[in-house]
Amino acid sequence: MSEPLQESLPPAARPITRAVLEIDEYASGLGWDQPARLFALVDTAALLKSEPGLARQLGLEPGAGNEFTPIEQDEVPKGTPLDTFLGTIAWPDAVAGCALVVERLILPPTAEAKLPEGASERELTTWVAEHPERQEVRMTVAVLRDGTKETALRLRQKDSPREVLTGPALVPGLAEALLTTFA
């Protein structure tokens, strides 16, 4: 993640968008079927000043254009529901924001309208996993302490940096859950 990915990524105007796309590109290089990954977003200039050794180790240089440096955290515990895990996180003041990468199955709205009523969570999970219209998506959701949000969505069937959809309100529930880690 320390190398600029400027050549392969679409242009992004906001620093948080650039950070989200950098994390998405990193996750893409790991392939699909990966566990959830959590990242701290730190102010690059502050990191260069306060932790020059770490900045060198990450390959950061003054004026490189990255306002936020994503730093991957310990692995998200397997078997722990994501909302439970997020409820255990507290960030130090030096962390400007955070990002989470998760893979999920999604259905088009027409399929969601046909969800079996009264099914258990396990039955619904199986139904979605076996549905012929399901799509696999990787979501990279980032938030800053000030409430700024950004998301990158990548469909497995369109696995290309040029096909990544970005926007601040694509996965609002997950963004709000990440914001609570700063409360």
Side-chain angles (χ1 to χ4, degrees):
M1 297 230 342
S2 60
E3 296 179 29
L5 300 170
Q6 307 282 335
E7 295 169 17
S8 62
L9 296 178
R14 299 185 325 152
I16 191 172
T17 305
R18 288 190 297 273
V20 162
L21 289 171
E22 181 180 354
I23 294 167
D24 171 76
E25 186 75 7
Y26 169 76
S28 175
L30 299 172
W32 286 87
D33 305 317
Q34 296 292 316
R37 295 179 184 283
L38 181 67
F39 296 81
L41 297 178
V42 297
D43 179 276
T44 301
L47 182 63
L48 284 164
K49 184 176 181 179
S50 67
E51 298 285 341
L54 177 59
R56 276 191 305 278
Q57 185 180 0
L58 294 173
L60 300 175
E61 298 176 18
N66 296 342
E67 291 189 37
F68 297 110
T69 298
I71 300 176
E72 188 168 2
Q73 304 300 292
D74 291 335
E75 190 171 300
V76 175
K78 291 180 182 165
T80 303
L82 200 52
D83 57 344
T84 301
F85 170 70
L86 292 176
T88 67
I89 297 172
W91 298 103
D93 291 340
V95 175
C98 66
L100 183 71
V101 179
V102 293
E103 295 177 12
R104 293 291 185 257
L105 293 176
I106 59 170
L107 295 174
T110 55
E112 289 181 10
K114 299 174 187 170
L115 285 170
E117 290 186 35
S120 69
E121 188 173 334
R122 174 175 260 159
E123 290 168 330
L124 286 174
T125 299
T126 301
W127 185 82
V128 170
E130 295 174 351
H131 197 282
E133 294 180 83
R134 74 185 178 282
Q135 291 191 44
E136 292 176 73
V137 64
R138 180 182 300 121
M139 301 177 280
T140 304
V141 180
V143 298
L144 300 178
R145 283 184 186 272
D146 68 5
T148 303
K149 303 169 193 159
E150 187 62 88
T151 300
L153 294 178
R154 182 186 290 250
L155 293 173
R156 189 171 191 159
Q157 72 182 39
K158 294 183 177 186
D159 195 0
S160 160
R162 297 288 175 201
E163 296 288 337
V164 174
L165 179 63
T166 60
L170 297 176
V171 189
L174 186 51
E176 288 301 321
L178 287 173
L179 278 173
T180 64
T181 66
F182 292 100

PDB file of all heavy atoms in Angstrom, residues 28-29 85 109:
ATOM      1  N   SER A  28      -7.837  -5.695  -4.017  1.00  0.00           N
ATOM      2  CA  SER A  28      -7.963  -6.375  -5.299  1.00  0.00           C
ATOM      3  C   SER A  28      -6.751  -7.250  -5.579  1.00  0.00           C
ATOM      4  O   SER A  28      -6.867  -8.357  -6.107  1.00  0.00           O
ATOM      5  CB  SER A  28      -8.133  -5.347  -6.414  1.00  0.00           C
ATOM      6  OG  SER A  28      -8.142  -5.972  -7.672  1.00  0.00           O
ATOM      7  N   GLY A  29      -5.578  -6.770  -5.206  1.00  0.00           N
ATOM      8  CA  GLY A  29      -4.354  -7.541  -5.412  1.00  0.00           C
ATOM      9  C   GLY A  29      -4.294  -8.816  -4.570  1.00  0.00           C
ATOM     10  O   GLY A  29      -3.549  -9.739  -4.893  1.00  0.00           O
ATOM     11  N   PHE A  85     -17.952  -6.588  16.524  1.00  0.00           N
ATOM     12  CA  PHE A  85     -16.536  -6.241  16.423  1.00  0.00           C
ATOM     13  C   PHE A  85     -16.342  -4.727  16.398  1.00  0.00           C
ATOM     14  O   PHE A  85     -15.504  -4.187  17.126  1.00  0.00           O
ATOM     15  CB  PHE A  85     -15.912  -6.878  15.177  1.00  0.00           C
ATOM     16  CG  PHE A  85     -14.528  -6.380  14.884  1.00  0.00           C
ATOM     17  CD1 PHE A  85     -13.463  -6.723  15.701  1.00  0.00           C
ATOM     18  CD2 PHE A  85     -14.295  -5.545  13.802  1.00  0.00           C
ATOM     19  CE1 PHE A  85     -12.185  -6.244  15.451  1.00  0.00           C
ATOM     20  CE2 PHE A  85     -13.017  -5.068  13.539  1.00  0.00           C
ATOM     21  CZ  PHE A  85     -11.970  -5.414  14.362  1.00  0.00           C
ATOM     22  N   PRO A 109     -32.949  -5.613  -6.932  1.00  0.00           N
ATOM     23  CA  PRO A 109     -34.204  -5.328  -6.220  1.00  0.00           C
ATOM     24  C   PRO A 109     -35.335  -6.296  -6.577  1.00  0.00           C
ATOM     25  O   PRO A 109     -36.153  -6.632  -5.730  1.00  0.00           O
ATOM     26  CB  PRO A 109     -34.545  -3.899  -6.641  1.00  0.00           C
ATOM     27  CG  PRO A 109     -33.232  -3.300  -7.005  1.00  0.00           C
ATOM     28  CD  PRO A 109     -32.417  -4.425  -7.582  1.00  0.00           C
TER      29      PRO A 109
END
